[in-house]
Amino acid sequence: RYFIDWKNDVDSYFTIDATEGTIATNELLDRESTAQYNFSIIASKVSNPLLTSKVNVIINVLDVNEFPPEISVPYETSVCENAKPGQVIQTVTAADKDLAPAGQKFSFRLSAEASNKPNFTVHDYRNNTAGIETRRNGYSRRQQELYFLPLVIEDSSYPVQSSTNTMTIRVCRCDSDGTILSCNVEAIFLPVGLSTGALIAILLCIVILLVIVVLYVALRRQKKKDTLMTSKEDIRDNVIHYDDEGGGEEDTQAFDIGALRNPKVIEDNKIRRDIKPDTLRFPRQRQAVEDNTDIRDFINQRLQENDVDPTAPPYDSLATYVYEGNGSVAESLSSIDSLTTEADQDYDYLSDWGPRFKILADMFGEEESYNPDKVT
């Protein structure tokens, strides 16, 4: 029988067939993490397990090209505005995560879409480095400040792996010797003679002008809104209020509120009840009053006549009065409730009402008790 002599966790990457002695992988292997494995195999006799032997096994993991090459370090590439064609502005190198064998080679080239643009080119030096060169005479920051250059890098292992790396190239202002002076936003304004302080002052003036314009527009809108509100209030007051002293309830008949709301609906023949009408008054035919008619019936009859008469005074001028003496101790002295004949009258009770009614008691009492000479 065959066994693996387990000494550490690394031995778990492999297994062995107990009968055949075939060694197989038990997990995925990664040459970049462990390039070689070393463990022991024990063989024992089936009929006598005490008879054993041990042998060391060394397994070397072969490399497979699984990672593409990339630019070794990030570059900050710049080009001068006064650059000449064919000038090298950057030298680049590549790196590969695979443990490349001796003689590993990298090749550099531009992508297909960048090859047609006459801005920059790549010169492969065939020693795993390349240079970025200019292809035009001068670059303008006003037209374009940044250029993006796609660079393709390939290795020489099997299978071939490649990657596309985008490089950023910034246009800067340089002196005649090619020394970079400035690459920031301020450099765009420097040729016209503007300094940093002048640029800040211009920006502050622009901000102040914007604030003034916003405040002016806000004040104009507020003033316009107040004017509209005042105008609306004036119109409403003109409809509701009028300078004319009214006459109480008669005023509701003198002024027709319906005419104010809808001037088209006005009664042409409406008679005002607060003034005397201009129409001619014809003498009314009144019924004759009999001598024995009760005064209450007489008043009711006249009231009905005035109610149906359109030329009569307004209703407010008619008042209803209670009988005279209501609430008095002597009650009413009116003849309305008197008896029909004087013989039925009895005024002896007047002497019981006190000194105030003494004269009346003497006048309407017994005839023999009344003496006109004694009345003062």
Side-chain angles (χ1 to χ4, degrees), residues 219-271:
L219 292 176
R220 287 292 301 271
R221 289 183 177 180
Q222 184 67 26
K223 184 177 180 181
K224 185 177 181 181
K225 182 178 180 181
D226 295 341
T227 304
L228 292 176
M229 292 297 296
T230 305
S231 178
K232 291 181 180 179
E233 292 177 357
D234 291 343
I235 296 174
R236 184 176 65 251
D237 290 343
N238 290 337
V239 172
I240 293 178
H241 301 286
Y242 49 85
D243 296 331
D244 189 3
E245 183 177 359
E249 294 181 358
E250 296 176 358
D251 185 57
T252 60
Q253 299 295 334
F255 297 91
D256 186 5
I257 193 64
L260 294 177
R261 295 177 180 174
N262 189 1
K264 296 181 180 180
V265 183
I266 302 178
E267 297 180 7
D268 297 332
N269 297 326
K270 184 175 179 65
I271 301 176

Side-chain angles (χ1 to χ4, degrees), residues 119-133:
N119 294 320
F120 303 93
T121 186
V122 176
H123 185 197
D124 191 354
Y125 298 137
R126 305 295 180 181
N127 59 354
N128 293 342
T129 61
I132 308 299
E133 298 179 357

Side-chain angles (χ1 to χ4, degrees), residues 137-363:
N137 188 10
Y139 297 85
S140 176
R141 289 168 297 166
R142 298 181 182 275
Q143 295 179 358
Q144 187 172 351
E145 184 183 1
L146 297 176
Y147 290 89
F148 300 98
L149 185 67
L151 179 63
V152 180
I153 305 176
E154 291 182 355
D155 58 17
S156 58
S157 300
Y158 181 82
V160 177
Q161 298 287 346
S162 64
S163 65
T164 302
N165 304 262
T166 302
M167 297 186 61
T168 302
I169 303 175
R170 183 182 300 273
V171 181
C172 300
R173 186 172 66 93
C174 305
D175 57 11
S176 58
D177 297 333
T179 304
I180 298 176
L181 299 179
S182 178
C183 293
N184 51 19
V185 181
E186 176 191 357
I188 300 178
F189 299 94
L190 289 177
V192 297
L194 294 178
S195 62
T196 304
L199 182 61
I200 295 175
I202 292 174
L203 294 177
L204 289 177
C205 293
I206 294 175
V207 172
I208 293 174
L209 289 176
L210 290 176
V211 172
I212 293 175
V213 171
V214 170
L215 293 176
Y216 177 76
V217 173
L219 292 176
R220 287 292 301 271
R221 289 183 177 180
Q222 184 67 26
K223 184 177 180 181
K224 185 177 181 181
K225 182 178 180 181
D226 295 341
T227 304
L228 292 176
M229 292 297 296
T230 305
S231 178
K232 291 181 180 179
E233 292 177 357
D234 291 343
I235 296 174
R236 184 176 65 251
D237 290 343
N238 290 337
V239 172
I240 293 178
H241 301 286
Y242 49 85
D243 296 331
D244 189 3
E245 183 177 359
E249 294 181 358
E250 296 176 358
D251 185 57
T252 60
Q253 299 295 334
F255 297 91
D256 186 5
I257 193 64
L260 294 177
R261 295 177 180 174
N262 189 1
K264 296 181 180 180
V265 183
I266 302 178
E267 297 180 7
D268 297 332
N269 297 326
K270 184 175 179 65
I271 301 176
R272 293 185 57 174
R273 302 176 61 184
D274 60 329
I275 59 175
K276 183 178 180 180
D278 297 333
T279 57
L280 297 177
R281 297 185 60 183
F282 298 96
R284 297 192 300 269
Q285 299 294 332
R286 295 185 177 181
Q287 298 179 1
V289 181
E290 300 179 358
D291 295 337
N292 58 352
T293 302
D294 191 280
I295 189 62
R296 179 179 298 179
D297 297 335
F298 173 77
I299 293 177
N300 289 333
Q301 179 182 350
R302 291 293 182 263
L303 179 60
Q304 293 177 1
E305 293 178 358
N306 284 274
D307 286 343
V308 298
D309 188 3
T311 61
Y315 296 143
D316 293 344
S317 63
L318 298 179
T320 303
Y321 299 95
V322 298
Y323 290 106
E324 180 185 0
N326 188 17
S328 174
V329 179
E331 297 182 354
S332 177
L333 299 178
S334 174
S335 60
I336 295 177
D337 291 335
S338 302
L339 298 179
T340 56
T341 60
E342 294 183 359
D344 297 334
Q345 298 288 344
D346 186 5
Y347 301 102
D348 293 340
Y349 59 89
L350 294 177
S351 59
D352 298 334
W353 287 358
R356 295 182 179 180
F357 299 92
K358 185 177 184 303
I359 298 177
L360 291 176
D362 294 341
M363 292 176 60

Side-chain angles (χ1 to χ4, degrees), residues 76-133:
E76 294 182 0
T77 307
S78 59
V79 62
C80 295
E81 284 186 316
N82 54 359
K84 303 297 181 181
Q87 182 177 345
V88 178
I89 59 175
Q90 184 68 59
T91 301
V92 296
T93 60
D96 195 343
K97 294 182 180 179
D98 293 314
L99 295 178
Q104 173 75 283
K105 297 295 183 178
F106 299 108
S107 62
F108 302 86
R109 60 181 174 84
L110 290 178
S111 61
E113 61 273 12
S115 301
N116 300 326
K117 297 180 180 180
N119 294 320
F120 303 93
T121 186
V122 176
H123 185 197
D124 191 354
Y125 298 137
R126 305 295 180 181
N127 59 354
N128 293 342
T129 61
I132 308 299
E133 298 179 357

